[in-house]
Every structure is written in C-alpha cells, then in structure tokens.
mmCIF file of all heavy atoms in Angstrom:
data_model
loop_
_atom_site.group_PDB
_atom_site.id
_atom_site.type_symbol
_atom_site.label_atom_id
_atom_site.label_comp_id
_atom_site.label_asym_id
_atom_site.label_seq_id
_atom_site.Cartn_x
_atom_site.Cartn_y
_atom_site.Cartn_z
ATOM 1 N N PRO A 24 96.460 83.354 43.443
ATOM 2 C CA PRO A 24 97.562 83.282 42.467
ATOM 3 C C PRO A 24 98.759 82.476 42.941
ATOM 4 O O PRO A 24 99.509 81.939 42.125
ATOM 5 C CB PRO A 24 97.948 84.749 42.267
ATOM 6 C CG PRO A 24 96.753 85.522 42.684
ATOM 7 C CD PRO A 24 96.141 84.729 43.789
ATOM 8 N N GLU A 25 98.967 82.412 44.260
ATOM 9 C CA GLU A 25 100.094 81.636 44.766
ATOM 10 C C GLU A 25 99.897 80.145 44.499
ATOM 11 O O GLU A 25 100.846 79.375 44.503
ATOM 12 C CB GLU A 25 100.270 81.883 46.268
ATOM 13 C CG GLU A 25 100.741 83.290 46.624
ATOM 14 C CD GLU A 25 99.663 84.347 46.450
ATOM 15 O OE1 GLU A 25 98.462 83.980 46.409
ATOM 16 O OE2 GLU A 25 100.022 85.534 46.322
ATOM 17 N N GLU A 26 98.639 79.728 44.287
ATOM 18 C CA GLU A 26 98.330 78.325 44.050
ATOM 19 C C GLU A 26 97.868 78.058 42.619
ATOM 20 O O GLU A 26 97.970 76.944 42.129
ATOM 21 C CB GLU A 26 97.223 77.867 45.008
ATOM 22 C CG GLU A 26 97.567 78.075 46.480
ATOM 23 C CD GLU A 26 96.371 77.868 47.381
ATOM 24 O OE1 GLU A 26 95.342 77.345 46.902
ATOM 25 O OE2 GLU A 26 96.459 78.242 48.563
ATOM 26 N N GLU A 27 97.343 79.075 41.955
ATOM 27 C CA GLU A 27 96.753 78.901 40.636
ATOM 28 C C GLU A 27 97.458 79.814 39.635
ATOM 29 O O GLU A 27 97.692 80.981 39.902
ATOM 30 C CB GLU A 27 95.264 79.248 40.666
ATOM 31 C CG GLU A 27 94.491 78.440 41.695
ATOM 32 C CD GLU A 27 93.079 78.967 41.881
ATOM 33 O OE1 GLU A 27 92.939 80.099 42.377
ATOM 34 O OE2 GLU A 27 92.143 78.259 41.530
ATOM 35 N N THR A 28 97.777 79.297 38.459
ATOM 36 C CA THR A 28 98.488 80.074 37.459
ATOM 37 C C THR A 28 97.524 80.922 36.636
ATOM 38 O O THR A 28 96.330 80.640 36.547
ATOM 39 C CB THR A 28 99.264 79.155 36.507
ATOM 40 O OG1 THR A 28 98.310 78.366 35.755
ATOM 41 C CG2 THR A 28 100.213 78.241 37.265
ATOM 42 N N ALA A 29 98.082 81.962 36.005
ATOM 43 C CA ALA A 29 97.283 82.811 35.126
ATOM 44 C C ALA A 29 96.765 82.010 33.934
ATOM 45 O O ALA A 29 95.646 82.222 33.464
ATOM 46 C CB ALA A 29 98.121 83.998 34.653
ATOM 47 N N GLU A 30 97.573 81.071 33.451
ATOM 48 C CA GLU A 30 97.145 80.246 32.307
ATOM 49 C C GLU A 30 95.925 79.412 32.676
ATOM 50 O O GLU A 30 94.978 79.294 31.888
ATOM 51 C CB GLU A 30 98.282 79.339 31.860
ATOM 52 C CG GLU A 30 97.929 78.470 30.660
ATOM 53 C CD GLU A 30 99.109 77.653 30.167
ATOM 54 O OE1 GLU A 30 100.193 77.750 30.749
ATOM 55 O OE2 GLU A 30 98.914 76.924 29.179
ATOM 56 N N ARG A 31 95.919 78.857 33.892
ATOM 57 C CA ARG A 31 94.792 78.056 34.350
ATOM 58 C C ARG A 31 93.532 78.909 34.433
ATOM 59 O O ARG A 31 92.450 78.484 34.021
ATOM 60 C CB ARG A 31 95.134 77.467 35.717
ATOM 61 C CG ARG A 31 94.079 76.537 36.288
ATOM 62 C CD ARG A 31 94.561 75.977 37.619
ATOM 63 N NE ARG A 31 93.600 75.079 38.208
ATOM 64 C CZ ARG A 31 93.768 74.499 39.385
ATOM 65 N NH1 ARG A 31 94.868 74.719 40.077
ATOM 66 N NH2 ARG A 31 92.843 73.692 39.873
ATOM 67 N N TRP A 32 93.671 80.131 34.940
ATOM 68 C CA TRP A 32 92.503 81.008 35.035
ATOM 69 C C TRP A 32 92.039 81.491 33.665
ATOM 70 O O TRP A 32 90.843 81.661 33.430
ATOM 71 C CB TRP A 32 92.798 82.186 35.967
ATOM 72 C CG TRP A 32 92.301 81.892 37.336
ATOM 73 C CD1 TRP A 32 92.970 81.284 38.346
ATOM 74 C CD2 TRP A 32 90.980 82.135 37.822
ATOM 75 N NE1 TRP A 32 92.155 81.139 39.437
ATOM 76 C CE2 TRP A 32 90.943 81.651 39.156
ATOM 77 C CE3 TRP A 32 89.842 82.718 37.278
ATOM 78 C CZ2 TRP A 32 89.793 81.726 39.943
ATOM 79 C CZ3 TRP A 32 88.701 82.800 38.061
ATOM 80 C CH2 TRP A 32 88.682 82.308 39.376
ATOM 81 N N ALA A 33 92.962 81.689 32.738
ATOM 82 C CA ALA A 33 92.572 82.090 31.386
ATOM 83 C C ALA A 33 91.716 81.008 30.749
ATOM 84 O O ALA A 33 90.693 81.288 30.117
ATOM 85 C CB ALA A 33 93.815 82.363 30.533
ATOM 86 N N LYS A 34 92.107 79.742 30.913
ATOM 87 C CA LYS A 34 91.319 78.625 30.397
ATOM 88 C C LYS A 34 89.952 78.572 31.077
ATOM 89 O O LYS A 34 88.920 78.386 30.440
ATOM 90 C CB LYS A 34 92.065 77.305 30.636
ATOM 91 C CG LYS A 34 93.337 77.140 29.833
ATOM 92 C CD LYS A 34 93.047 76.763 28.399
ATOM 93 C CE LYS A 34 94.331 76.421 27.657
ATOM 94 N NZ LYS A 34 94.071 76.106 26.237
ATOM 95 N N LYS A 35 89.959 78.735 32.380
ATOM 96 C CA LYS A 35 88.726 78.654 33.159
ATOM 97 C C LYS A 35 87.739 79.738 32.746
ATOM 98 O O LYS A 35 86.532 79.510 32.656
ATOM 99 C CB LYS A 35 89.080 78.790 34.642
ATOM 100 C CG LYS A 35 87.918 78.658 35.606
ATOM 101 C CD LYS A 35 88.448 78.674 37.035
ATOM 102 C CE LYS A 35 87.332 78.654 38.052
ATOM 103 N NZ LYS A 35 87.841 78.613 39.433
ATOM 104 N N LEU A 36 88.241 80.932 32.466
ATOM 105 C CA LEU A 36 87.373 82.046 32.100
ATOM 106 C C LEU A 36 86.849 81.927 30.671
ATOM 107 O O LEU A 36 85.746 82.361 30.372
ATOM 108 C CB LEU A 36 88.125 83.374 32.258
ATOM 109 C CG LEU A 36 88.396 83.819 33.700
ATOM 110 C CD1 LEU A 36 89.416 84.952 33.718
ATOM 111 C CD2 LEU A 36 87.108 84.259 34.380
ATOM 112 N N CYS A 37 87.651 81.338 29.791
ATOM 113 C CA CYS A 37 87.297 81.325 28.372
ATOM 114 C C CYS A 37 86.375 80.174 27.967
ATOM 115 O O CYS A 37 85.633 80.299 26.997
ATOM 116 C CB CYS A 37 88.563 81.265 27.521
ATOM 117 S SG CYS A 37 89.553 82.759 27.624
ATOM 118 N N LEU A 38 86.429 79.052 28.687
ATOM 119 C CA LEU A 38 85.601 77.904 28.331
ATOM 120 C C LEU A 38 84.317 77.936 29.131
ATOM 121 O O LEU A 38 84.338 77.773 30.353
ATOM 122 C CB LEU A 38 86.373 76.604 28.583
ATOM 123 C CG LEU A 38 87.620 76.396 27.717
ATOM 124 C CD1 LEU A 38 88.346 75.131 28.139
ATOM 125 C CD2 LEU A 38 87.251 76.338 26.247
ATOM 126 N N ARG A 39 83.201 78.141 28.483
ATOM 127 C CA ARG A 39 81.917 78.269 29.153
ATOM 128 C C ARG A 39 81.553 76.978 29.897
ATOM 129 O O ARG A 39 81.651 75.891 29.366
ATOM 130 C CB ARG A 39 80.833 78.597 28.127
ATOM 131 C CG ARG A 39 79.460 78.850 28.738
ATOM 132 C CD ARG A 39 78.455 79.210 27.677
ATOM 133 N NE ARG A 39 78.857 80.402 26.948
ATOM 134 C CZ ARG A 39 78.182 80.885 25.896
ATOM 135 N NH1 ARG A 39 77.102 80.256 25.469
ATOM 136 N NH2 ARG A 39 78.605 81.962 25.283
ATOM 137 N N GLY A 40 81.129 77.134 31.154
ATOM 138 C CA GLY A 40 80.702 75.989 31.938
ATOM 139 C C GLY A 40 81.817 75.326 32.715
ATOM 140 O O GLY A 40 81.568 74.468 33.546
ATOM 141 N N VAL A 41 83.077 75.719 32.455
ATOM 142 C CA VAL A 41 84.202 75.113 33.150
ATOM 143 C C VAL A 41 84.338 75.711 34.539
ATOM 144 O O VAL A 41 84.409 76.920 34.701
ATOM 145 C CB VAL A 41 85.519 75.297 32.357
ATOM 146 C CG1 VAL A 41 86.708 74.806 33.168
ATOM 147 C CG2 VAL A 41 85.446 74.547 31.041
ATOM 148 N N VAL A 42 84.370 74.840 35.553
ATOM 149 C CA VAL A 42 84.526 75.280 36.939
ATOM 150 C C VAL A 42 85.997 75.366 37.304
ATOM 151 O O VAL A 42 86.440 76.301 37.960
ATOM 152 C CB VAL A 42 83.804 74.307 37.896
ATOM 153 C CG1 VAL A 42 83.976 74.740 39.341
ATOM 154 C CG2 VAL A 42 82.322 74.214 37.539
ATOM 155 N N ASP A 43 86.780 74.397 36.872
ATOM 156 C CA ASP A 43 88.212 74.374 37.173
ATOM 157 C C ASP A 43 88.911 73.513 36.141
ATOM 158 O O ASP A 43 88.279 72.736 35.417
ATOM 159 C CB ASP A 43 88.455 73.827 38.579
ATOM 160 C CG ASP A 43 89.755 74.351 39.181
ATOM 161 O OD1 ASP A 43 90.542 74.965 38.437
ATOM 162 O OD2 ASP A 43 89.972 74.151 40.384
ATOM 163 N N SER A 44 90.242 73.643 36.069
ATOM 164 C CA SER A 44 90.990 72.872 35.077
ATOM 165 C C SER A 44 92.381 72.549 35.595
ATOM 166 O O SER A 44 92.952 73.282 36.401
ATOM 167 C CB SER A 44 91.106 73.650 33.759
ATOM 168 O OG SER A 44 91.882 74.828 33.943
ATOM 169 N N PHE A 45 92.920 71.430 35.119
ATOM 170 C CA PHE A 45 94.278 71.026 35.443
ATOM 171 C C PHE A 45 94.889 70.455 34.169
ATOM 172 O O PHE A 45 94.427 69.432 33.656
ATOM 173 C CB PHE A 45 94.294 69.974 36.545
ATOM 174 C CG PHE A 45 95.678 69.499 36.893
ATOM 175 C CD1 PHE A 45 96.563 70.317 37.566
ATOM 176 C CD2 PHE A 45 96.099 68.227 36.519
ATOM 177 C CE1 PHE A 45 97.842 69.887 37.869
ATOM 178 C CE2 PHE A 45 97.383 67.784 36.819
ATOM 179 C CZ PHE A 45 98.256 68.618 37.494
ATOM 180 N N HIS A 46 95.898 71.136 33.640
ATOM 181 C CA HIS A 46 96.482 70.731 32.365
ATOM 182 C C HIS A 46 97.709 69.856 32.606
ATOM 183 O O HIS A 46 98.693 70.292 33.206
ATOM 184 C CB HIS A 46 96.812 71.955 31.525
ATOM 185 C CG HIS A 46 95.578 72.657 31.074
ATOM 186 N ND1 HIS A 46 95.011 72.456 29.841
ATOM 187 C CD2 HIS A 46 94.747 73.508 31.730
ATOM 188 C CE1 HIS A 46 93.893 73.164 29.741
ATOM 189 N NE2 HIS A 46 93.727 73.810 30.876
ATOM 190 N N LEU A 47 97.608 68.612 32.150
ATOM 191 C CA LEU A 47 98.671 67.633 32.372
ATOM 192 C C LEU A 47 99.869 67.905 31.474
ATOM 193 O O LEU A 47 101.013 67.710 31.873
ATOM 194 C CB LEU A 47 98.129 66.225 32.117
ATOM 195 C CG LEU A 47 96.918 65.839 32.996
ATOM 196 C CD1 LEU A 47 96.345 64.517 32.532
ATOM 197 C CD2 LEU A 47 97.319 65.770 34.455
ATOM 198 N N ASP A 48 99.614 68.331 30.246
ATOM 199 C CA ASP A 48 100.651 68.727 29.298
ATOM 200 C C ASP A 48 99.944 69.563 28.231
ATOM 201 O O ASP A 48 98.754 69.851 28.365
ATOM 202 C CB ASP A 48 101.378 67.503 28.718
ATOM 203 C CG ASP A 48 100.507 66.623 27.826
ATOM 204 O OD1 ASP A 48 99.447 67.079 27.371
ATOM 205 O OD2 ASP A 48 100.910 65.473 27.565
#
C-alpha cells in the first residue's frame, strides 16, 4: 500500500486478466 493505491488495486481486481495498471489521468 505504501507504493500502490487502493484505486489501482480496485482496477486490477475488477478487470479480468489485468496483471497491473498505471492510470495517467
């Protein structure tokens, strides 16, 4: 959590097949 946000993990958990994500905007 110190490096990854809850929003990033919510996206990662909800989109099937997604390993990781980085949202630019």
Side-chain angles (χ1 to χ4, degrees):
E25 291 73 19
E26 303 169 12
E27 304 170 294
T28 65
E30 181 176 0
R31 183 178 180 182
W32 264 90
K34 292 282 188 182
K35 183 174 176 178
L36 289 167
C37 292
L38 295 176
R39 184 178 301 176
V41 173
V42 179
D43 206 350
S44 65
F45 179 71
H46 292 263
L47 302 172
D48 67 17

